[in-house]
Amino acid sequence: MSLYIVVSATVVFALSFLSLPLLETTHYWLKLNSRRLVADLIVRNGIIYTSDASLPFADSMAVHNGRILRIGNYSSIQDLVGEGTKELNVEGNVVVPGFIDSHVHFISGGLQMMRVDLHGVNTKDEFLRRIRERVTNSKQGSWVLGGGWNNDLWGGELPTASWIDEITPYNPVWLSRMDGHMGLANSVALKLAGINNMSKDPNGGTIIKTSNGDPTGLLIDAAMQLLLPQIPEVSVYERREALLRASNLALMRGVTTVVDFGRYFPGTSMEHSWEDLSDVYSWANSSGKMMIRVCLFFPLETWSRLVDLISKTGHALSNWIYLGGVKAFADGSLGSNSALFHEPYVDEPQNYGLQVLEFKTLSNMTTASDKFGLQVAIHAIGDKANDLILDMFESVASKNGERDRRFRVEHAQHLTPGAADRFGEQGIFASVQPEHLLDDADSAIRKLGMDRAQKGSYLFRSLLAGHAQLAFGSDWPVADINPLESIKTAMKRTPPGWENAWIPSECISLEEALIAHTMSASRACFLDRDLGSLTPGKFADFVVLSTNSWDDFVADGSASVDATYVGGVRAYPFSSKP
């Protein structure tokens, strides 16, 4: 075993440098040969899972200047120990690459941490209690904001303005549903926005009304744009604080990189993503306050702006910030009955869902973005939305010619027969969120019927069998940012209150789930040169887990985060010690 690790580590070390550009490689080797190289950090006595099939396990690794220098057994790296080298004995615990969350709304999540939190609320009384508590502590006339509610948890009845008007007579209220595709306004907020029984549905959105034509307070997708401009802009200070809060939470959960799709949802301003780049991320980068790495995506409608920026700066603004690509919405969400399906919803027989953006417009912008080399990600949840996007991606690739484009479908929750194979055939990444299936299992059966729900929902195993690459994420703050729970869910697929797995044939293994949160996740955003595995040349981003048994970890997926390291420096627990 030791000889195997030494030889494999040497080969991997050599190959990693062969993949570097010539000038960079030459510079690096001249630097190495100019003096005896000394590691900054030695990690030893661990079960180090590398996410690399060529050397899946090692017990030690050496870190220099934030990157992995060598990995293998302890004796193979002892020559790198010198004055100033710190040593980390992980005492037999499992070590994995830093987790990559492939889909978050990072600043939104940080902001939500300071607002009314309605996640997990399962009764109307508790829903009202939390809102009343926030109103009591708010100034009269100020907006009361929050979100995370899921009507399925209290039986499915949708909340209305009448629920909360009595306890919010002087404060406008906006509470987004957990999926971000529906929200509840009280009557004060509706009046401020000028929404009444004469208001018409905008394209790609719905104002839910009573049988008498009066607004209920619920707005779906693009209809939110009628109200959201009335909410005061979040200050730069609040957004910067949100980044710091979000980063701390991510590190506690072992997340060292996130793919941030910004504060952009149907009905919100496309400027938010750009403002957060200039006001928040650039500020944190220049002031040394970045704690985790981010890959940023911007609204598809602003694609030419991103092309101009990348032509001036390149994709990497620093080791912390990477300019990814562009994103658009094909449909809404299952929970809001706005995901687009070939067949209607069982509970709304006239409703097939919403197409958020007109298809020709979406196709034209995707073609232009791809032609200029941008990576394109499209939100698609319903089976018809996924088919439309698969067709569109195929057409764009044929039109623009062969290249390494790595199209992404965000969510890919419900697929028609054969669609899973198309992901692999077309080389499209499925950016999926396992935790969503816990919330969707009961509602999918109710909204789609047992047969449709069982055959087409969250097809992780089918996607892998069709040679697609899965990239795991959370969609935080829609669901909690917690890769270990995400991995366990993908393995077990057991919703709350269920004894058995939902569609057990779609369960995947621990290793497959780990790859989806590390190596495949890095490939899905063109960061696989620097991230995703613990191999020489990659950033030394890693997580020490609480378990010291790989077999136990495989058996039940249970573990917690003991420590998180970014660039070989301990970032959690928050301490100066190595």
Side-chain angles (χ1 to χ4, degrees), residues 448-470:
L448 306 180
M450 178 66 77
D451 187 59
R452 285 166 64 191
Q454 289 289 108
K455 288 181 178 178
S457 301
Y458 295 89
L459 304 183
F460 301 156
R461 165 61 56 210
S462 295
L463 284 162
L464 288 176
H467 305 292
Q469 293 199 56
L470 296 182

Side-chain angles (χ1 to χ4, degrees), residues 44-348:
R44 69 178 184 88
N45 192 22
I47 304 171
I48 302 176
Y49 176 72
T50 69
S51 277
D52 188 327
S54 64
L55 180 66
F57 291 98
D59 64 38
S60 301
M61 63 181 173
V63 177
H64 175 74
N65 199 27
R67 292 182 182 264
I68 296 171
L69 183 60
R70 195 182 299 168
I71 188 162
N73 60 20
Y74 185 59
S75 63
S76 71
I77 63 173
Q78 282 184 310
D79 62 305
L80 300 174
V81 177
E83 186 178 353
T85 299
K86 296 178 180 178
E87 191 169 285
L88 172 64
N89 182 353
V90 296
E91 299 178 346
N93 281 19
V94 172
V95 176
V96 297
F99 294 119
I100 300 170
D101 192 311
S102 295
H103 189 121
V104 299
H105 304 276
F106 210 50
I107 307 300
S108 296
L111 292 170
Q112 179 60 42
M113 292 172 73
M114 300 302 291
R115 295 174 176 173
V116 181
D117 182 14
L118 298 170
H119 285 91
V121 171
N122 57 12
T123 66
K124 178 179 178 180
D125 287 344
E126 179 62 14
F127 181 86
L128 297 179
R129 187 196 69 77
R130 295 194 187 189
I131 297 167
R132 184 185 294 109
E133 182 180 44
R134 180 53 59 95
V135 172
T136 301
N137 296 314
S138 301
K139 294 181 180 179
Q140 184 171 310
S142 65
W143 278 82
V144 174
L145 303 173
W149 57 269
N150 180 2
N151 52 297
D152 293 325
L153 296 181
W154 59 70
E157 181 184 4
L158 286 167
T160 63
S162 61
W163 282 25
I164 59 176
D165 280 346
E166 185 176 340
I167 61 175
T168 61
Y170 308 112
N171 296 84
V173 177
W174 175 250
L175 306 167
S176 60
R177 193 179 186 278
M178 60 171 292
D179 51 36
H181 290 268
M182 175 189 284
L184 174 66
N186 68 348
S187 293
V188 177
L190 292 174
K191 185 175 181 180
L192 282 173
I195 298 173
N196 53 49
N197 56 7
M198 300 297 290
S199 299
K200 304 294 185 183
D201 290 341
N203 290 332
T206 303
I207 303 168
I208 297 184
K209 296 180 179 180
T210 66
S211 57
N212 296 324
D214 296 321
T216 65
L218 291 168
L219 305 175
I220 297 177
D221 287 318
M224 296 188 287
Q225 68 191 10
L226 302 175
L227 180 139
L228 294 180
Q230 304 301 318
I231 300 175
E233 285 292 323
V234 183
S235 71
V236 172
Y237 173 79
E238 289 175 294
R239 286 184 282 134
R240 289 176 178 176
E241 288 297 303
L243 172 63
L244 301 181
R245 281 195 300 272
S247 299
N248 283 331
L249 176 62
L251 290 168
M252 289 172 63
R253 302 291 169 76
V255 175
T256 56
T257 301
V258 297
V259 180
D260 183 11
F261 287 93
R263 292 186 291 139
Y264 176 56
F265 289 94
T268 61
S269 172
M270 287 180 283
E271 287 301 308
H272 287 164
S273 297
W274 291 97
E275 291 166 353
D276 288 342
L277 171 62
S278 60
D279 297 341
V280 182
Y281 285 116
S282 295
W283 161 81
N285 189 46
S286 62
S287 59
K289 295 186 182 295
M290 288 296 296
M291 293 184 275
I292 68 169
R293 307 185 203 281
V294 297
C295 175
L296 305 178
F297 274 69
F298 299 83
L300 177 63
E301 293 86 343
T302 66
W303 67 268
S304 61
R305 191 169 169 183
L306 183 58
V307 168
D308 290 342
L309 178 58
I310 291 174
S311 68
K312 296 174 184 175
T313 66
H315 281 279
L317 301 186
S318 69
N319 286 340
W320 298 99
I321 302 175
Y322 183 83
L323 302 177
V326 289
K327 183 218 179 172
F329 292 85
D331 65 347
S333 70
L334 180 73
S336 300
N337 281 29
S338 58
L340 186 64
F341 286 93
H342 289 288
E343 299 179 44
Y345 287 84
V346 172
D347 55 346
E348 291 185 16

